[in-house]
Amino acid sequence: MDYFALFLDGICLLGQGVMHILFVKRLTGKKLKPLHFAVYILLLVALQLVSVRLFPSGTLSIAAGVLELYAVSRFWMGNQPSVSWLAAVLAFYVSQLSFGMINSVEAALFPRFIGSPLLYPLLLAAQVLFFVLCAGCYYAVRKFLAWSEDAPYIGLLLFPGLFFFASELYILETAYSFFDPIVSLVEVGKHSTLLLLQVMGLAALLCTLYAYRHLCQGFQAQAELQSLTQAAQTQKIYIAEAQARYAQTKSFRHDVKNHLSVLDGLLKGGKLRESREYLKKLETVSEALSFPYQTGNPVVDILLGEKLGLAKEIAAEVSLVLPQPCGIDSFDLCVLFANALDNAINACRAGTGAKAIRISGKQQGDFYMLTFENTCSGEPLPPAGTGLSNIKAVAEKYRGAMLTEKNGGQYYLRVLLNISPGQLFDMADVRTGTAD
């Protein structure tokens, strides 16, 4: 039986070491070299052998194992200290919890099989069940935590994790011992209660992780709301400036006849020098009212001029004329172009070599296709952020679609919009059920 117990202990220790590393890898998304993996397993076995001889309780060997796994996560995987501590504590807590739950079942059921040949296959089955339970708990922890690099206050989870871990170690050290051939109903009830407490401890941990995940989502939603509020204020400024520029242009056009009359009088009077000075003043006024890009929409013209004007290192080409009348609200156009230009400029600056942005548009019937093409780095693109989500929302509002594509060092964003003037009213009728 001693050799069999030694065999089970070796299999258990090896399996725990493998699952520790796999759990930390998948939780943090970091990689580990096979050599480091093997070194961790060997050190874990060495710690166990030393603890059996020097520290029979096993608590110090577990603490040393946590420290070892922390070092692997911190220095070999490159994780932050708080993340490394949390991952190490959770990894050992789950394995010890699974071990304790299986122990509760064994202590309640297995003593009656002492001396029977059935005890050996039952112990093997319990070992397999331990691995299955441990893997399931690791999966549940990763699912409920859903950790990411930018998760705030991740270190706060270390305190409830340590509490659950310490509670489990106390249960293991005080409640379990060698099998007694005779087990009373009181003992069965005791171990059943311990099993229930451990299940409740796991549930409490998962609830804590779930609450933390939703807290992070709340922080993210708040940050996105602040970003959207700032973007909305900026877009209102663009619209106000466009309206003011439109009023100035309208006023200038209204006075063109008067300006021509003054200029005609100067020329007829032979006052060439005064005529040239007057023309220069008119040219200055007209340049102040003109836009570097002419799309037919003053809001878009101002936005293009400002965004692309600040990115002078990027070659820009705009071949775009928005149809008039256009069924797209100026605020929505501002949202679309502002986010698309910000993404394109940031992508260009992140790349090397030539930097270029090309914007074009094409109308077909009641639909209009906007295409934003820009250079980018060869690295994989990050997940879609708030900017693309806002563009997609505008496209869907106008019964269109958004498509993205990356081809080598070129990135394409295509936005299809329904520009028929009455289409928004049709959408409102469909929502309220008043369509004919």
Side-chain angles (χ1 to χ4, degrees):
M1 182 64 181
D2 290 341
Y3 291 105
F4 183 76
L6 185 62
F7 168 74
L8 283 183
D9 288 342
I11 293 298
C12 181
L13 188 61
L14 180 63
Q16 285 187 64
V18 171
M19 287 192 290
H20 289 167
I21 293 294
L22 291 178
F23 170 73
V24 175
K25 280 180 59 179
R26 293 181 180 177
L27 181 68
T28 62
K30 301 297 181 61
K31 296 181 179 180
L32 187 66
K33 295 180 179 179
L35 177 60
H36 296 160
F37 190 95
V39 170
Y40 172 75
I41 299 296
L42 290 175
L43 287 176
L44 195 64
V45 172
L47 285 173
Q48 183 66 21
L49 292 176
V50 171
S51 68
V52 169
R53 293 181 177 272
L54 301 179
F55 312 105
S57 67
T59 302
L60 289 179
S61 66
I62 292 175
V66 172
L67 183 61
E68 180 190 349
L69 188 56
Y70 163 81
V72 170
S73 175
R74 178 72 180 93
F75 301 108
W76 287 347
M77 293 185 181
N79 292 312
Q80 296 296 322
S82 58
V83 174
S84 299
W85 279 120
L86 179 63
V89 168
L90 289 178
F92 270 85
Y93 167 68
V94 169
S95 62
Q96 294 302 309
L97 173 69
S98 303
F99 183 71
M101 294 170 71
I102 297 300
N103 262 2
S104 296
V105 176
E106 289 179 344
L109 301 179
F110 284 15
R112 69 189 61 182
F113 294 100
I114 292 178
S116 171
L118 290 176
L119 181 60
Y120 295 97
L122 285 174
L123 290 173
L124 285 174
Q127 190 68 58
V128 173
L129 183 61
F130 161 73
F131 288 130
V132 173
L133 179 62
C134 193
C137 291
Y138 279 134
Y139 177 79
V141 168
R142 289 196 302 110
K143 266 294 188 185
F144 278 78
L145 180 55
W147 178 81
S148 61
E149 287 281 357
D150 56 349
Y153 310 115
I154 188 71
L156 293 179
L157 289 176
L158 182 61
F159 296 98
L162 284 172
F163 171 76
F164 293 125
F165 189 25
S167 301
E168 182 60 32
L169 288 180
Y170 180 78
I171 291 174
L172 291 176
E173 290 294 327
T174 59
Y176 300 107
S177 60
F178 295 105
F179 290 158
D180 189 342
I182 300 176
V183 179
S184 64
L185 290 178
V186 175
E187 286 293 319
V188 173
K190 170 188 171 183
H191 291 299
S192 299
T193 303
L194 289 175
L195 176 61
L196 179 61
L197 286 174
Q198 291 174 103
V199 172
M200 292 174 63
L202 175 63
L205 174 65
L206 296 179
C207 289
T208 302
L209 299 179
Y210 182 77
Y212 172 77
R213 186 180 70 179
H214 277 266
L215 180 65
C216 291
Q217 292 174 350
F219 281 129
Q220 183 180 4
Q222 185 178 11
E224 291 179 355
L225 180 60
Q226 291 177 350
S227 176
L228 289 174
T229 302
Q230 292 176 357
Q233 293 296 331
T234 303
Q235 289 154 10
K236 288 179 180 179
I237 293 173
Y238 285 138
I239 293 174
E241 185 176 345
Q243 292 173 341
R245 187 76 67 91
Y246 176 77
Q248 293 173 1
T249 304
K250 185 177 180 181
S251 176
F252 178 77
R253 288 177 178 175
H254 181 269
D255 294 335
V256 164
K257 290 183 178 180
N258 296 330
H259 292 307
L260 292 176
S261 298
V262 172
L263 186 59
D264 182 62
L266 291 173
L267 291 173
K268 287 181 178 179
K271 300 179 180 179
L272 297 179
R273 184 174 61 83
E274 290 83 352
S275 300
R276 292 192 185 96
E277 291 177 355
Y278 198 83
L279 280 173
K280 286 182 180 180
K281 292 180 181 179
L282 290 178
E283 184 179 0
T284 301
V285 173
S286 64
E287 287 178 355
L289 296 175
S290 64
F291 302 101
Y293 303 99
Q294 306 285 333
T295 67
N297 185 289
V299 173
V300 176
D301 292 346
I302 291 175
L303 197 150
L304 287 172
E306 180 170 329
K307 295 283 187 182
L308 297 178
L310 294 175
K312 296 181 179 179
E313 75 279 13
I314 301 174
E317 178 185 348
V318 179
S319 55
L320 171 68
V321 177
L322 294 171
Q324 295 295 337
C326 181
I328 305 175
D329 185 75
S330 294
F331 185 85
D332 294 326
L333 282 174
C334 197
V335 171
L336 195 160
F337 275 87
N339 286 286
L341 286 171
D342 286 341
N343 289 346
I345 292 171
N346 291 334
C348 286
R349 288 173 173 169
T352 57
K355 308 176 188 297
I357 295 175
R358 185 176 184 275
I359 305 171
S360 60
K362 182 179 180 182
Q363 181 177 358
Q364 186 171 1
D366 289 338
F367 287 90
Y368 196 82
M369 174 69 81
L370 285 168
T371 302
F372 298 84
E373 177 185 352
N374 60 268
T375 56
C376 61
S377 66
E379 299 294 327
L381 293 174
T386 305
L388 286 179
S389 299
N390 293 340
I391 295 172
K392 184 179 180 181
V394 171
E396 292 176 348
K397 177 180 178 180
Y398 291 91
R399 292 194 287 188
M402 182 193 77
L403 300 173
T404 60
E405 179 186 359
K406 185 176 183 295
N407 186 6
Q410 293 293 122
Y411 180 80
Y412 300 88
L413 168 65
R414 296 180 176 90
V415 184
L416 182 65
L417 302 168
N418 187 332
I419 59 173
S420 59
Q423 62 93 20
L424 280 180
F425 296 101
D426 294 339
M427 291 173 66
D429 291 342
V430 171
R431 287 194 295 269
T432 58
T434 59
D436 292 336

